[in-house]
Amino acid sequence: MQLPQDLKAYAVNGLVPRLLTPADVPAMLALQREVMEALPDPRWYFPSDEAEFLQVVSAGEGFAYFDGETLLGFAELTPGELVKKALKEGYREGIYSDYAKDVVRPSARGQGMHTAFLRLFEKMARTNGGYAVYATVDPENGPSRRNFERAGYQCMVEKPAYDGRARRFYRLLLSSPEKD
């Protein structure tokens, strides 16, 4: 996937996001644990294991904000296989992206990282010929829902997904797909 030329455009409080590497996986796992413990309802989040994080960072699909050595937040843009499988409608192979996950340290929330990740991934999808970005959100996760909706994502449907948990399926339409 082609990356934006200048990640400085997505800076938050002077911090510039960077591509994650395999060396960052232990910090990702630790931050995920911290966030899971702080969530009002842990069912909002689908945790990843070390192998999944390694796959994401090896594919160049994970970005993060660091303050020195401290991981403040990260997000993944991955092929939308899970979303496509769960929704089973409205997709064309290879021309969409899935906003898979974002994790922000509780002490760093409210600084705009999630919004910056959304802008970055929209830019990446556009740069790579995508016509839409998809995401799923737990219906009761108000902060995440509001961020996606403020960024222009539209709720397409609410239904069970993955392991049967209710999810809202969101789409940010970038351009019209060609008709088959």
Side-chain angles (χ1 to χ4, degrees), residues 55-83:
Q55 183 179 12
V56 166
V57 299
S58 296
E61 297 172 332
F63 293 84
Y65 289 96
F66 284 84
D67 186 1
E69 296 295 314
T70 303
L71 176 60
L72 297 179
F74 67 88
E76 304 170 7
L77 179 68
T78 60
E81 292 304 313
L82 289 176
V83 174

Side-chain angles (χ1 to χ4, degrees), residues 93-115:
E93 287 297 322
I95 58 172
Y96 61 89
S97 295
D98 172 28
Y99 187 102
K101 179 176 300 202
D102 60 85
V103 178
V104 176
R105 184 173 301 280
S107 62
R109 291 189 183 139
Q111 297 180 27
M113 283 183 218
H114 187 242
T115 300

Side-chain angles (χ1 to χ4, degrees), residues 2 13 17 46 53 76 102 109 113 133 141 148 153-154:
Q2 185 178 350
N13 295 329
F46 289 88
F53 282 147
E76 304 170 7
D102 60 85
R109 291 189 183 139
M113 283 183 218
V133 180
N141 185 346
F148 279 102
Y153 284 72
Q154 299 292 314

